[in-house]
Amino acid sequence: MSEQTLPALDPVFFDVAPHAKAWPFEQARALVKRVEQTGQSEVLFETGYGPSGLPHIGTFGEVARTTMVRTAFRLLTRDQVPTRLVCFSDDMDGLRKVPTNVPNREMLEACLGMPLSRVPDPFSNEYPSFGQANNARLMAFLNQFGFAYEFASATDYYTSGRLDDGLLRMLAVYDEVMEIILPTLGAERQATYSPFLPISPRTGQVLQVPMIARDVARGTITYLDPHTGEAMETRVTGGAVKCQWKADWALRWFSLGVDYEMAGKDLIDSVKLSSRIVKALGGTPPEGFNYELFLDENGQKISKSKGNGLGIEDWLTYASPESLSLFMFQKPKAAKRLYFDVIPRAVDEYYSFAGSFRGQDHAAQLENPTFHIHAGQVPSHDLPVSFALLMNLVSAANAEDMQVLWGFISRYAPGAGPDTHPELDNLVGFAIRYFHDFV
């Protein structure tokens, strides 16, 4: 996908941006320093997605937060340094377990070990593979929010040769990479580990097998077929192998020249390892930070394969997309429950911040969350009734009909109606659905 047009920035913020304290600016300043040191002419942001399960809000959160840092960087550099955001899907990863929240699970059981881009679509015949079906879901949602990004498929990158130089470099420094990874593994895994995962020409599966020989000059590795015991020599280029994910992460950073990528707190050690591998390859690790995890109603980490917590569609059933963006902006380094009961507060807080924006000076506006949600182009809202009040009205009147609820609203806001206040009308629908399902 080609990148959508970036939103224009108002130059009035250029002079006050260097003094802004909001966390996206703190992150962006590290990138400014990086550019000053390297003299590079472009900055590349990346987010990663594993399409082994349905896209969830955490996936969206990485793109939203990274976009906020990108906007802050553009302001700090007066929009003079071109930027790109690549959303990279590891759709060549092998299917390790079957998600519990998808249909046709027996069909998927028969595909364990296959690259996600070769596993049939369990939902329908609309897409050639499970990976592509989930990629499409992610892109549709990101497009709905108007993010400016480029989508990248690991399968495309490996098979087209765009990672070949990095793979050959990985082969050349194989021993260094092994010295970085092996101390982090148990004895059993150490015996079978290799940064390269061959794609079996016989079964098509992604193999986790040790290497018995390497030929840097020819760009090949040799392994024993786990089913036949036959010695198999394969090149490391052209999609014949993929890398183990920590090595794969480093390969991406090195090959694409990634300058910024954030990751969850659970990946702190992985970030450190991948950064060491990048340095062994001869590259520079990206800037970034580790955000806290989203938790479900039981305090458990949200998982794509389990499908726990809130889904993207779930939030948008009961609230506006802007309220979701606000939830992502607030306190990224604090663990937060991501469940239905957080929605009403997020809705009202968004409109409160948006309502105060135009009365603030430019410096204060840069600290307002809605600036970062809308890249400074904060819309005006006319909402005479809060979402909390709407919820109370629905409860008091036991109203599940929008016309009935508007009758009560008119007592608080004479003259207001669906035609004069369409955004409030949307909130009415959200309030009724939320009350019906949870109250």
Side-chain angles (χ1 to χ4, degrees):
M1 155 178 275
S2 59
E3 184 157 44
Q4 300 180 34
T5 302
L6 282 170
L9 298 177
D10 191 335
V12 300
F13 294 107
F14 289 163
D15 289 337
V16 293
H19 310 290
K21 298 178 181 179
W23 69 262
F25 285 99
E26 294 177 355
Q27 291 295 300
R29 286 189 184 98
L31 276 172
V32 172
K33 184 177 180 180
R34 184 185 182 102
V35 170
E36 291 173 347
Q37 291 174 340
T38 64
Q40 63 196 74
S41 59
E42 180 183 84
V43 166
L44 179 63
F45 295 82
E46 183 187 56
T47 64
Y49 167 57
S52 57
L54 300 178
H56 60 70
I57 284 181
T59 311
F60 159 75
E62 279 198 13
V63 181
R65 288 168 169 169
T66 302
T67 298
M68 293 171 186
V69 176
R70 184 185 187 184
T71 299
F73 175 81
R74 293 175 60 205
L75 284 170
L76 291 172
T77 57
R78 295 178 174 263
D79 215 9
Q80 295 301 300
V81 180
T83 61
R84 295 167 55 214
L85 169 57
V86 171
C87 298
F88 201 101
S89 170
D90 189 12
D91 57 9
M92 200 167 164
D93 193 23
L95 179 65
R96 292 184 291 274
K97 61 181 179 179
V98 177
T100 58
N101 59 341
V102 298
N104 296 310
R105 299 184 69 233
E106 290 184 2
M107 178 185 73
L108 295 185
E109 289 280 358
C111 298
L112 289 174
M114 298 289 290
L116 294 166
S117 54
R118 297 184 186 179
V119 175
D121 178 5
F123 303 101
S124 67
N125 295 321
E126 183 177 359
Y127 298 98
S129 72
F130 184 35
Q132 286 167 289
N134 281 338
N135 288 344
R137 284 173 170 80
L138 176 69
M139 288 188 286
F141 185 70
L142 298 181
N143 293 343
Q144 179 182 344
F145 272 79
F147 288 117
Y149 72 99
E150 303 169 36
F151 180 79
S153 156
T155 300
D156 291 343
Y157 269 64
Y158 272 104
T159 58
S160 68
R162 279 183 277 188
L163 299 177
D164 281 359
D165 288 346
L167 287 161
L168 291 171
R169 180 61 183 159
M170 185 82 70
L171 181 61
V173 298
Y174 183 94
D175 290 333
E176 292 180 58
V177 174
M178 293 290 280
E179 289 175 3
I180 293 170
I181 295 293
L182 288 183
T184 69
L185 305 175
E188 183 177 348
R189 188 69 187 95
Q190 286 182 358
T192 62
Y193 181 83
S194 167
F196 296 111
L197 301 176
I199 309 300
S200 171
R202 189 173 61 84
T203 66
Q205 292 179 318
V206 181
L207 302 177
Q208 297 197 39
V209 291
M211 302 298 103
I212 61 173
R214 307 185 306 279
D215 190 323
V216 175
R218 296 177 59 195
T220 64
I221 54 175
T222 303
Y223 63 95
L224 296 179
D225 186 298
H227 300 286
T228 67
E230 178 184 2
M232 303 288 294
E233 183 181 38
T234 185
R235 67 190 190 280
V236 298
T237 55
V241 308
K242 80 172 297 288
C243 284
Q244 291 271 11
W245 85 267
K246 292 172 186 175
D248 181 86
W249 208 3
L251 175 69
R252 262 189 270 157
W253 291 347
F254 176 77
S255 299
L256 278 67
V258 175
D259 296 298
Y260 186 90
E261 181 163 7
M262 61 179 64
K265 185 179 179 181
D266 57 333
L267 298 179
I268 288 177
D269 290 340
S270 299
V271 170
K272 292 177 180 177
L273 283 175
S274 295
S275 296
R276 291 178 63 193
I277 296 173
V278 168
K279 292 177 181 178
L281 294 171
T284 303
E287 309 296 328
F289 80 106
N290 294 99
Y291 55 82
E292 265 288 1
L293 305 179
F294 293 123
L295 308 176
D296 66 12
E297 72 275 25
N298 298 315
Q300 301 297 310
K301 174 190 171 185
I302 289 177
S303 165
K304 294 191 298 294
S305 59
K306 291 180 181 178
N308 59 332
L310 278 184
I312 292 169
E313 296 83 1
D314 294 329
W315 187 291
L316 296 184
T317 298
Y318 307 106
S320 66
E322 293 83 6
S323 61
L324 175 56
S325 293
L326 174 65
F327 188 83
M328 295 303 165
F329 175 85
Q330 293 175 317
K331 299 179 180 178
K333 293 187 177 182
K336 293 188 287 188
R337 289 178 66 255
L338 181 54
Y339 203 60
F340 294 100
D341 56 4
V342 306
I343 292 177
R345 179 179 177 182
V347 172
D348 276 337
E349 285 187 343
Y350 166 76
Y351 287 112
S352 176
F353 284 122
S356 66
F357 183 81
R358 276 169 176 71
Q360 297 174 317
D361 60 30
H362 297 318
Q365 286 177 335
L366 291 183
E367 310 303 324
N368 188 315
T370 57
F371 177 93
H372 301 274
I373 294 170
H374 298 286
Q377 301 177 8
V378 181
S380 297
H381 302 285
D382 182 12
L383 293 176
V385 178
S386 70
F387 192 62
L389 180 55
L390 286 178
M391 295 285 292
N392 289 336
L393 288 175
V394 174
S395 177
N398 197 24
E400 295 195 17
D401 181 271
M402 294 182 70
Q403 287 186 330
V404 172
L405 192 56
W406 268 109
F408 286 96
I409 294 171
S410 63
R411 301 178 184 178
Y412 293 87
D419 294 333
T420 59
H421 292 73
E423 189 159 10
L424 181 57
D425 194 47
N426 289 334
L427 290 184
V428 169
F430 290 141
I432 290 175
R433 284 194 290 274
Y434 191 93
F435 176 81
H436 179 270
D437 291 346
F438 299 112
V439 179

